[in-house]
Amino acid sequence: MTWAKIALQNMLRRKLRTFATMMGVAVAVAALFSLLAFQRGYQNGMRDELDRLGAHVLVVPKGCPYDSASMALHGASWPCYLKSAYLEQVRTTRGVSVAAPIFMNALYESNGTQQVYLGINETIQAVKPGWKLEGSLPTKTGEILLGATAAKNLHLQIGQEFNLPAIPGERGKVCGVLASTQGAEDAFLYMPLSDAQRLFKRPAQLTHILVRLQDPNALENVVEALRGCEAGMDMNIVPLTHLFQTIQGLVNSTRLLLGCIALIALIVAGAGVSNTVLMAVTERTREIGVMRSVGASTSDIFRLIWLETVQICLVGGVLGVLTALIGAQHLEEWLRNRLPFSPSGALIHPEAGIMLLCLLGAAVLGSMAGLLPAWRASRLSPVEAIRAAL
């Protein structure tokens, strides 16, 4: 403890220089922490999105944009449509367990609020086994199932009748409320499929079909069978696992580049710390010589300088973690505007384990950066050190 106190006092002699060195370490650790937290948050978010969608394959109309999975997850107006007759071909394809037809449309109210309507039937529950309902699914004309957020925003309860938002002259009756799924579907309004097709003037048409397989390991075979069926030329078959893996691969490539940048920043920060402590050793040559002459061993001097270096890096590491935590929200907003697909959950997922790992990395950085100046200080001869300082 005595050596740690002495090292701390020495570290505070040149406050401005020490602070500048700490900030170099802080920037590198903040970059590393943000990168690791983003990796964890993005992976968790992608897994949650896939689980929330509940399907292994998404069937969409030919010519649909590449981000059809995002449209299905987050709600949008679709530019093209499937024939309802294709549903039976999808449902009877070998390996398909459930095929749930969906008609989705998004409308905007006068105040700019988006209302997303989904036409569904009873097969939706087989695709969404995690759904928890208060009430029942909409099966009769005029019945509406509200997502948790929609029910809260519209101030509605089961049994109440109301004017359908953004659809003048149409009314519905709340038949159930969907418990929160922590996703975009909490804000959706669900109605019978036939009602949606009628209201949006698309009889016998669908926007997409959610397909759940009997065996997810047979994904390749089922996708090939769907593409080879009679309606295959008019449908895009999107294997969601592959889609998310492709997106994850793109993100991983970016993460690798950012990881290299963070590594370079750590190396530069370590070099800066080593240089700063070497300067401090040069300034304290006479002091070190006096310590040696009154009985301090080479190991004592080595320990003192080494502890000073580790302390600088640890304090810089703490500052870096705090900086990353404070800036996490702004970083997340910046990332959402640039990623090809952003899960609805948190992109930056700080965890205690990541914090400890970054602080451990800072300690290792300090240990390595302190070896050279500590060795130089411990090799100083007492007589030569005092003589050189005179």
Side-chain angles (χ1 to χ4, degrees):
M1 183 62 71
T2 301
W3 288 107
K5 288 183 178 179
I6 296 174
L8 180 61
Q9 291 172 357
N10 290 335
M11 186 178 72
L12 296 176
R13 286 184 179 183
R14 301 280 186 175
K15 293 183 177 62
L16 182 60
R17 186 172 67 192
T18 300
F19 178 74
T21 306
M22 287 177 179
M23 290 309 298
V25 176
V27 170
V29 171
L32 178 63
F33 177 84
S34 298
L35 181 65
L36 294 175
F38 166 68
Q39 177 187 6
R40 182 61 57 84
Y42 197 84
Q43 287 177 342
N44 291 344
M46 293 289 282
R47 185 175 60 251
D48 291 343
E49 291 284 72
L50 188 57
D51 291 342
R52 186 177 298 120
L53 189 57
H56 301 113
V57 176
L58 180 66
V59 178
V60 298
K62 184 69 74 175
C64 221
Y66 75 95
D67 60 346
S68 55
S70 180
M71 294 169 63
L73 281 165
H74 300 145
S77 291
W78 291 65
C80 39
Y81 302 89
L82 288 168
K83 293 180 181 179
S84 295
Y86 296 162
L87 175 64
E88 188 60 28
Q89 294 187 41
V90 173
R91 182 177 290 148
T92 56
T93 299
R94 186 173 182 179
V96 171
S97 174
V98 181
I102 307 289
F103 188 96
M104 174 184 285
N105 199 39
L107 300 174
Y108 289 88
E109 298 187 74
S110 57
N111 60 3
T113 302
Q114 179 180 256
Q115 298 291 346
V116 178
Y117 288 92
L118 263 76
I120 60 174
N121 63 18
E122 66 281 355
T123 58
I124 192 68
Q125 278 196 303
V127 177
K128 307 274 191 179
W131 271 15
K132 296 180 180 179
L133 303 179
E134 180 185 354
S136 62
L137 286 173
T139 56
K140 300 177 181 178
T141 297
E143 290 186 336
I144 301 291
L145 170 68
L146 299 176
T149 303
K152 181 179 179 181
N153 292 341
L154 296 173
H155 308 289
L156 293 171
Q157 296 179 350
I158 296 174
Q160 289 185 309
E161 294 189 3
F162 66 105
N163 294 321
L164 297 183
I167 306 180
E170 294 291 339
R171 291 179 61 80
K173 182 178 181 180
V174 181
C175 65
V177 175
L178 175 63
S180 177
T181 63
Q182 303 300 314
E185 56 193 10
D186 286 349
F188 294 170
L189 288 81
Y190 304 85
M191 60 178 58
L193 180 61
S194 57
D195 278 9
Q197 293 170 331
R198 175 181 57 82
L199 286 174
F200 300 112
K201 298 178 175 57
R202 294 288 177 179
Q205 290 184 324
L206 306 172
T207 54
H208 57 287
I209 302 172
L210 299 177
V211 178
R212 195 170 182 87
L213 307 184
Q214 296 172 359
D215 180 8
N217 295 322
L219 178 66
E220 294 285 354
N221 294 333
V222 176
V223 169
E224 287 301 318
L226 287 170
R227 288 172 177 166
C229 72
E230 185 179 343
M233 295 298 293
D234 296 319
M235 302 187 300
N236 272 344
I237 312 301
V238 184
L240 294 175
T241 303
H242 289 185
L243 176 66
F244 286 150
Q245 285 175 351
T246 300
I247 296 172
Q248 184 71 55
L250 293 173
V251 174
N252 285 342
S253 299
T254 305
R255 182 171 55 84
L256 179 61
L257 175 62
L258 295 176
C260 292
I261 295 173
L263 179 60
I264 293 172
L266 285 169
I267 293 173
V268 171
V273 172
S274 185
N275 184 61
T276 296
V277 180
L278 276 172
M279 291 173 61
V281 168
T282 302
E283 292 174 353
R284 301 204 299 266
T285 298
R286 182 178 181 182
E287 178 184 324
I288 293 172
V290 171
M291 292 177 65
R292 289 295 311 280
S293 65
V294 297
S297 65
T298 56
S299 62
D300 290 333
I301 299 300
F302 185 95
R303 183 193 313 162
L304 178 65
I305 302 302
W306 182 81
L307 281 173
E308 183 177 338
T309 312
V310 172
Q311 285 177 345
I312 289 175
C313 287
L314 276 177
V315 175
V318 172
L319 291 175
V321 170
L322 292 176
T323 301
L325 289 173
I326 293 172
Q329 183 176 355
H330 298 291
L331 177 61
E332 181 166 326
E333 292 174 358
W334 184 84
L335 287 170
R336 284 192 184 279
N337 293 328
R338 287 159 178 81
L339 290 173
F341 178 84
S342 297
S344 56
L347 289 181
I348 307 296
H349 195 270
E351 296 179 353
I354 296 176
M355 297 180 195
L356 292 175
L357 181 61
C358 289
L359 293 178
L360 178 61
V364 171
L365 178 69
S367 299
M368 297 179 65
L371 292 177
L372 177 59
W375 179 81
R376 285 280 300 273
S378 66
R379 300 298 294 174
L380 288 174
S381 169
V383 175
E384 293 180 0
I386 295 174
R387 184 185 301 161
L390 293 176

